[in-house]
Amino acid sequence: MMLPRHYNAQSGVTMVVVGQPACASFRDGTVLMRCPHCHADISTTTSFETGTCAYLWCIGLCLIGCDMGCCLLPFCCDACKDVVHSCPNCNQVISRYSRM
Ligand SMILES: [Zn+2]
């Protein structure tokens, strides 16, 4: 029996405030960090943008016959969208979390 994925054993929540965005785990939630643009200690604001995942869901739903409007659902569902993290202080985009 084969497992489809191998999970990283180090999947604990990191509580360290990081200075480099590449080290932070940007996902759906806000991230405590120092803004690389204005160097303020911030909690990122998140917004959702349609990404590759939503398009793939749309195509997938069309392929299984949900082409009467259901295929547009991924574009209305935040869970299928990419997450954009930005700084509330200077409004610069810090990172994007792609679900792909
Ligand atoms: Zn900033």
Side-chain angles (χ1 to χ4, degrees):
M1 200 149 129
M2 295 267 298
L3 290 172
R5 289 182 190 175
H6 296 282
Y7 292 99
N8 192 342
Q10 295 176 333
S11 59
V13 177
T14 306
M15 296 301 289
V16 180
V17 176
V18 295
Q20 295 296 319
C23 300
S25 55
F26 291 99
R27 295 185 70 88
D28 298 61
T30 60
V31 178
L32 287 173
M33 63 175 296
R34 178 159 293 165
C35 175
H37 304 288
C38 65
H39 303 287
D41 289 324
I42 49 126
S43 155
T44 59
T45 54
T46 55
S47 57
F48 294 91
E49 280 187 1
T50 305
T52 315
C53 186
Y55 286 105
L56 288 179
W57 268 107
C58 175
I59 294 167
L61 287 169
C62 284
L63 289 176
I64 61 172
C66 299
D67 56 354
M68 299 296 288
C70 297
C71 63
L72 300 177
L73 280 177
F75 299 111
C76 307
C77 178
D78 285 345
C80 296
K81 294 182 180 179
D82 293 349
V83 186
V84 179
H85 290 263
S86 55
C87 171
N89 196 36
C90 64
N91 293 318
Q92 295 280 335
V93 173
I94 295 170
S95 181
R96 278 168 206 273
Y97 166 57
S98 173
R99 296 181 195 276
M100 294 307 297

